[in-house]
Amino acid sequence: MPRIRWSRACPLVMAMAVACAASAQEATPTDVEDRFRRLERIVAEQAEQIRRLSEENRELAGRGKADPPGAGSTTLPAIVEDDDQPEADQTSPVTDPAPAVEDALASPSQGDDTSWTAERGVFSSLMDAGDDTIPEDDIAWSSRRFIVGAYDNGYVLVAPSDQQRTPFSLKLNITTQVRYTGFARSVESWTDASGQVLPVRNRSYFTLNRNWFSFTGFAFSPHLRFNATVFSTSATNQTLAFGWAGYEFSKAFILNGGYYKVPGTREWIESGRYPLGVDRTMANTFFRPGISPGAWAQGEPIRDVYYYAGIFNDLSSASPSASRTNTNMTYAATAWWEPLGSFGPGYSDEEYHETPVARLGAGVVYNRSIREPSLEQGQSNPENTIIRLTDGTPLYQANALAPGVTVEAAHVLLASYDISLKYRGMSLSAEAYTRWLTDLKASGRAPRGTLDDMADVGGLVQGSYALVPKRFELFARTSGVFGRHGDGSEYGGGVNWFFLGNRNVRATFEAKRINHSPANNLLYGYFAGQSGTLFQLQLLTDF
């Protein structure tokens, strides 16, 4: 703050003191009267000077608010928040932290979130976890080393005003899905490939379907980033932890390691917060990989071209890492191009693009799969899936291909291709899948042709239109799976209501007809072999 200039009033105060002392001495009445008149003049002059000084101080204070410390080159004492700070730093020039923060916030082409990770930058708004740890520049930082207790696309627990001087940050995001699921069957049972007759049940239940507590930030260097997420669901009564740590060598190459998504299909890589409907489609759930420990690289080597590629334990981490019997690894990669600028997160055009935007991508996954001791371990993480035939029968289930034959190993190759468009509240997207199961190995005597290579195909198409831009949206979608052991399909639609005109609070209702589901995942509401009508109502909050 500006220094208050009271020093000019000091001589006047001294004069008053002298005058008062003099008046106390013996003097004639005339002398006393003269001295009182002089004292009155001195007091009046002092009052006028104090008035002028007060006006000047108010003016200086107003300038100080308009031009905060660091806006110019003025040298002012810096705020020191730790006792160990060297004395020399206490009078160092205060520089404006805003440019450093603006640089940290800068991103190649993204929408709501910041920096290079999951919601922005080289992830092109596709990943779940981001680095929104540096708040926007409308937060008053003054010259403090850290910002504490702010909100900016998440709860800012701590963020640096200058990430080079104090490179530590931490942000908390909380996402919650409360869902009702109802299913009205159209058949009472189905027969899987092994000949088992299994019941199809009507269903009606509420779930806290997903609840994420995600901590993101960086430490010791703005390039050394981390994510730690606790995920729970009442659908399976499980609580799991996953996350990663990574280092940004350049915009084109960022290296990470941890427990995270295996890339493979676009709808899978897209955040679980942003599907067009209540959850991902049946075809994607059937073909996609899952979550597994691994190491991966990502980046933006060319403007608006992004990649995410890595080596992982399994397609879906079917067993705990230390007890897995398979020594083969999974190799996965995806790449996409946003030729018309930032596509933004999700499939809905919640940003209401005034000009068209597009995204084109492809992915590939390869794994030399081996049968794990327990098929149920494929569901140890509720997001994961297991390899199934196109009628819903698990590939490694005994007698799946023929009586007395159990598949023990197979080469799995998955390829996907996708395209998406957004424009003025409208969206259209499609994705195609092809999966090859080759070089099958089995125990038991397999009839001729039983272990022949298999090629299964599928895809999805979905579109939406905002009746009220950024508020109320209609959507429709369909997906299908086709292969040697049968076909499955779904079609339906619903509404999205964005309460606040953004993605943070959304209510979704969806109804769809399912015919012979080959997919099975409790979180999504798909059960293998079911046919009937699925109704889902969900409230999503994302803070």
Side-chain angles (χ1 to χ4, degrees):
M1 293 184 57
R3 180 171 295 174
I4 307 300
R5 297 187 296 172
W6 294 105
S7 59
R8 292 167 55 184
C10 291
L12 300 176
V13 177
M14 296 289 291
M16 289 182 64
V18 172
C20 291
S23 65
Q25 297 178 358
E26 292 184 1
T28 64
T30 303
D31 292 339
V32 171
E33 185 177 352
D34 291 341
R35 289 171 184 173
F36 269 111
R37 286 175 183 154
R38 287 197 300 270
L39 181 59
E40 288 174 354
R41 287 196 300 271
I42 292 171
V43 171
E45 291 173 357
Q46 183 189 27
E48 177 63 21
Q49 188 168 3
I50 290 173
R51 185 186 64 79
R52 291 196 304 268
L53 290 172
S54 297
E55 291 178 354
E56 292 178 11
N57 287 330
R58 283 194 294 269
E59 183 180 353
L60 289 172
R63 291 177 183 175
K65 291 180 180 179
D67 303 318
S73 58
T74 305
T75 300
L76 295 171
I79 295 177
V80 180
E81 296 191 349
D82 40 83
D83 299 334
D84 299 336
Q85 185 67 27
E87 185 175 350
D89 286 351
Q90 299 181 22
T91 57
S92 60
V94 178
T95 58
D96 187 0
V101 176
E102 290 171 0
D103 290 344
L105 290 169
S107 171
S109 61
Q110 300 312 311
D112 297 339
D113 302 59
T114 59
S115 193
W116 50 270
T117 53
E119 305 298 354
R120 241 195 187 201
V122 299
F123 274 105
S124 182
S125 303
L126 280 180
M127 304 296 285
D128 280 334
D131 176 47
D132 296 332
T133 53
I134 305 172
E136 299 287 350
D137 57 7
D138 59 354
I139 296 175
W141 10 61
S142 183
S143 59
R144 299 175 61 183
R145 294 186 178 279
F146 289 100
I147 313 302
V148 178
Y151 182 86
D152 179 64
N153 295 321
Y155 300 96
V156 180
L157 305 181
V158 61
S161 57
D162 184 340
Q163 59 176 308
Q164 299 300 326
R165 293 175 60 199
T166 50
F168 298 92
S169 68
L170 182 63
K171 171 178 278 189
L172 171 64
N173 289 91
I174 302 174
T175 303
T176 303
Q177 294 176 341
V178 179
R179 183 182 300 177
Y180 169 77
T181 297
F183 179 75
R185 66 185 183 183
S186 60
V187 297
E188 295 185 355
S189 64
W190 72 288
T191 303
D192 70 9
S194 68
Q196 295 185 77
V197 178
L198 303 171
V200 174
R201 295 185 174 89
N202 293 320
R203 301 181 187 273
S204 178
Y205 55 88
F206 287 97
T207 57
L208 178 62
N209 209 60
R210 292 183 181 91
N211 201 26
W212 290 293
F213 292 83
S214 184
F215 296 88
T216 56
F218 57 81
F220 303 108
S221 167
H223 301 286
L224 183 59
R225 315 249 174 168
F226 66 86
N227 168 272
T229 298
V230 177
F231 163 60
S232 63
T233 176
S234 69
T236 58
N237 288 326
Q238 289 177 276
T239 297
L240 302 171
F242 59 90
W244 46 261
Y247 192 86
E248 178 189 18
F249 292 93
S250 69
K251 186 170 70 171
F253 182 71
I254 303 162
L255 185 62
N256 302 284
Y259 181 40
Y260 210 62
K261 291 181 179 180
V262 179
T265 67
R266 189 68 53 219
E267 195 182 30
W268 168 236
I269 293 299
E270 189 72 71
S271 171
R273 298 171 291 175
Y274 306 139
L276 189 59
V278 169
D279 221 313
R280 299 179 176 100
T281 59
M282 182 187 70
N284 180 78
T285 305
F286 175 82
F287 284 105
R288 69 164 176 82
I291 297 175
S292 178
W296 62 93
Q298 66 206 51
E300 184 188 6
I302 305 171
R303 181 177 175 82
D304 296 327
V305 176
Y306 308 89
Y307 74 92
Y308 170 31
I311 303 173
F312 301 85
N313 284 358
D314 293 292
L315 283 171
S316 288
S317 224
S319 62
S321 299
S323 61
R324 65 192 295 261
T325 59
N326 187 358
T327 59
N328 301 320
M329 308 301 285
T330 297
Y331 306 91
T334 185
W336 62 98
W337 178 34
E338 299 178 2
L340 303 179
S342 172
F343 187 80
Y347 291 98
S348 299
D349 188 20
E350 177 62 14
E351 297 77 22
Y352 201 79
H353 290 84
E354 293 292 348
T355 59
V357 292
R359 181 177 64 199
L360 298 91
V364 62
V365 185
Y366 170 76
N367 173 250
R368 176 56 175 168
S369 177
I370 293 179
R371 186 178 190 270
E372 296 292 342
S374 172
L375 288 174
E376 297 303 321
Q377 288 181 344
Q379 302 295 331
S380 60
N381 184 326
E383 287 283 4
N384 283 343
T385 60
I386 58 178
I387 303 172
R388 294 177 180 271
L389 304 177
T390 55
D391 69 342
T393 305
L395 174 66
Y396 292 123
Q397 179 177 298
N399 307 315
L401 296 184
V405 176
T406 301
V407 177
E408 300 293 342
H411 288 274
V412 181
L413 178 63
L414 170 67
S416 65
Y417 318 90
D418 63 277
I419 182 171
S420 299
L421 304 169
K422 291 180 181 179
Y423 177 57
R424 294 180 63 84
M426 297 181 290
S427 73
L428 180 64
S429 55
E431 188 166 9
Y433 312 108
T434 304
R435 184 189 68 181
W436 294 271
L437 300 178
T438 62
D439 196 21
L440 277 68
K441 307 296 183 185
S443 60
R445 186 177 181 85
R448 186 173 182 178
T450 300
L451 302 181
D452 287 352
D453 296 346
M454 288 180 275
D456 305 318
V457 298
L460 67 90
V461 177
Q462 55 188 0
S464 67
Y465 176 72
L467 288 178
V468 180
K470 300 187 177 184
R471 288 283 184 177
F472 195 81
E473 175 185 64
L474 299 179
F475 67 87
R477 54 185 187 163
T478 182
S479 75
V481 175
F482 312 96
R484 180 197 302 176
H485 293 85
D487 302 333
S489 63
E490 65 172 349
Y491 57 88
V495 296
N496 286 315
W497 179 18
F498 301 92
F499 283 71
L500 306 178
N502 56 39
R503 299 179 188 277
N504 294 94
V505 182
R506 175 175 64 135
T508 302
F509 172 76
E510 183 175 15
K512 50 191 172 183
R513 172 69 182 184
I514 297 176
N515 299 304
H516 310 294
S517 172
N520 191 92
N521 190 289
L522 301 183
L523 284 183
Y524 296 47
Y526 295 120
F527 295 87
Q530 71 180 5
S531 294
T533 304
L534 179 66
F535 305 91
Q536 292 179 304
L537 177 64
Q538 177 174 276
L539 175 65
L540 179 145
T541 61
D542 182 21
F543 304 123

